[in-house]
């Protein structure tokens, strides 16, 4: 290995040691303050909305992996540079490492809930990283490099390839030092992971039966229409959209839901308090505002929770001047919900259960808000800890600051699941099928399909699980050979038809009709 490569490797290894040490300290104090995650989260928050939309569209649920990966690659490249600098002079390399860590510390401190403790992982990362670099450089260089003579020493080493005894000592020292530090980094990383995974076990939480159960769930068209979206989305298949890089490790012991702001009295609830209140159970279809026409950021589940108005009544909002509920999650992220819509009699709730089990961590354990008819970004706060009654004039929530709408009812939408876009199918009798949703606007009353330029044909609807839930539909079709364009549209229970006017998700949800082109042979 050349001296340059070797020093680049020293930089990388020293940085890995620092990152692992920082990660371990973060796991013991504040997991999201881990250097790489802090930088990643800051990148998410600083990313302009269009780029974020693009990433969600292209990487889907892998967007976070791609982001963390990019941050890591960037950091390791700089780490290699730090190693090369340390070859000139240790202080130069150490300085670059300190700059890197300072960026991570600044990122950690920029988190909404940041306290002084958030710098601790970065400080430890800096000490461990610089220490490891110094150790590697001095231990594996024949004779300590006196400050100021680095360049001369360099020239000497670059011409010393014939000096086998020198190379031999170095190589053994390098192997031992590298091995020791690699094991140390892996051990610290492993312990950090173990601490994180051991904290929370939603699957051990038993939930009481609902006081106000949902009606029996009807069998959908799942078996009758091959390729159609299941009537109820399995929890493991439920879409996930949030700004988090790691799932918050919330234990039930310390968790509380507080209601404050412009209320008669501030109140707080433990998880047990919630389970002892009247529990309602409802079938509700959640939708993300980032869902494109024909997209899959939508899912139907059975939710169990405490009615939002029951909770707000405990705090007393009879005299409130508030127009929004500003909810805060365990990490300080905020979501605003229009107070009037959330309390207009719809089945808004603080949910603690999903499809018959406690919420999984991905979907908000231990509790989240669910408000039928409003896009998730203004209603579905996961890992919720606080609801503050306030005004839009006084407080901007996370997405409000980024230009998204504050008032965003879910638009009427319909999707073709089968045949798939650009599919080639056999001529003859087949079924066109899919789902449509029109939550809290009377549900889906009608779905129509148009084949090429033909007339709109009324599809058959699957059973209803209530007006806040999506509906499956299908249309038998005698497919003749050739290329065909299928278009779908829905009408809600109030007689309003899905608009054909195209709109992007930003700022209040996409619209337009989905068209699917298929080839029949
Ligand atoms: N704490 C928190 N809650 C959140 C979000 C988030 O980023 N953080 N994303 C919201 C958005 S945009 C949507 S669409 C829904 C998605 O809920 P799901 O991931 O359970 O499907 O959660 C909402 N709740
Ligand atoms: Mo969303």
């Amino acid at each position: 290995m050349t001296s340059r490569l070797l020093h680049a490797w020293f930089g990388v290894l020293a940085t890995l040691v620092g990152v692992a040490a920082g990660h371990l300290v973060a796991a013991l104090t504040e997991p999201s303050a881990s250097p790489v995650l802090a930088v990643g989260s800051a990148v998410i928050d600083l990313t302009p909305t269009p780029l974020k939309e693009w990433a969600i569209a292209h990487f889907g649920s892998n967007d976070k992996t791609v982001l963390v990966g990019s941050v890591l690659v960037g950091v390791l490249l700089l780490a290699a540079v730090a190693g090369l600098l340390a070859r000139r002079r240790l202080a130069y390399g150490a300085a670059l490492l300190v700059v890197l860590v300072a960026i991570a510390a600044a990122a950690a401190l920029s988190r909404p809930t940041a306290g002084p403790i958030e710098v601790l992982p970065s400080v430890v990362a800096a000490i461990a990283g610089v220490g490891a670099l110094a150790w590697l450089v001095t231990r594996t260089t024949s004779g300590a490099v006196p400050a100021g003579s680095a360049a001369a020493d360099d020239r000497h080493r670059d011409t010393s390839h014939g000096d086998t005894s020198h190379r031999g000592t170095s190589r053994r020292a390098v192997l031992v030092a590298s091995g020791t530090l690699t094991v140390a980094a892996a051990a610290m990383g492993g312990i950090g992971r173990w601490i994180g995974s051991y904290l929370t076990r939603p699957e051990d939480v038993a939930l009481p039966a609902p006081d106000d159960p949902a009606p029996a769930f009807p069998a959908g068209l799942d078996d009758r229409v091959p390729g159609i979206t299941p009537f109820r989305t399995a929890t493991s298949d439920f879409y996930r959209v949030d700004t988090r890089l790691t799932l918050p490790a919330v234990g039930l012991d310390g968790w509380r839901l507080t209601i404050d702001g412009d209320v008669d009295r501030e109140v707080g609830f433990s998880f047990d308090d919630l389970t002892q209140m009247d529990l309602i159970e409802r079938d509700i279809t959640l939708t993300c505002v980032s869902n494109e026409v024909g997209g899959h950021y939508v899912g139907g589940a059975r939710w169990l929770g405490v009615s939002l108005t029951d909770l707000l009544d405990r705090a007393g909002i009879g005299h409130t001047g508030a127009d929004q509920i500003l909810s805060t999650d365990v990490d300080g992220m905020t979501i605003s919900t229009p107070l009037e819509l959330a309390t207009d009699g719809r089945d808004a709730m603080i949910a603690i259960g999903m499809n018959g089990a406690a919420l999984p961590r991905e979907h908000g354990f231990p509790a989240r808000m669910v408000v039928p008819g409003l896009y998730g970004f203004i209603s579905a706060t996961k890992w919720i800890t606080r609801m503050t009654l306030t005004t839009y004039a006084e407080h901007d929530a996370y997405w409000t600051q980024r230009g998204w709408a504050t008032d965003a009812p879910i638009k009427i939408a319909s999707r073709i699941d089968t045949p798939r876009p650009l599919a080639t199918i056999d001529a003859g009798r087949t079924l066109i099928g899919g789902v449509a949703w029109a939550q809290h606007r009377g549900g889906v009353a009608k779905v129509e399909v148009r084949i090429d330029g033909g007339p709109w044909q009324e599809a058959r609807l699957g059973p209803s699980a209530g007006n806040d839930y999506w509906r499956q539909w299908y249309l038998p079709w005698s497919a003749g050979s050739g290329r065909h364009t299928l278009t779908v549209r829905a009408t809600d229970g109030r007689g309003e038809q899905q608009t054909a006017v195209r709109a992007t998700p930003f700022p209040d949800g996409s619209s337009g009709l989905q068209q699917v082109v298929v080839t029949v042979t």
Side-chain angles (χ1 to χ4, degrees), residues 379-435:
S379 68
T381 321
K382 305 192 272 190
W383 318 291
I384 191 170
T385 60
R386 185 177 296 272
M387 293 192 279
T388 306
L389 278 283
T390 179
T391 61
Y392 286 107
E394 213 163 323
H395 283 292
D396 277 347
Y398 183 89
W399 278 297
T400 317
Q401 290 161 11
R402 285 157 181 79
W404 290 84
T406 50
D407 194 359
I410 299 173
K411 297 178 184 177
I412 306 169
S414 51
R415 186 176 78 201
I416 300 173
D417 294 330
T418 179
R420 303 232 165 256
L422 304 178
T424 301
I425 58 170
D426 293 337
R429 241 183 102 77
T430 183
L431 298 178
I432 304 169
V435 285

Side-chain angles (χ1 to χ4, degrees), residues 298-322:
V298 53
R302 176 161 283 197
W303 305 94
L304 175 76
V306 180
S307 149
L308 183 65
T309 45
D310 277 4
L311 288 164
L312 294 177
D313 286 348
R314 297 276 182 107
I317 56 163
H319 315 283
T320 192

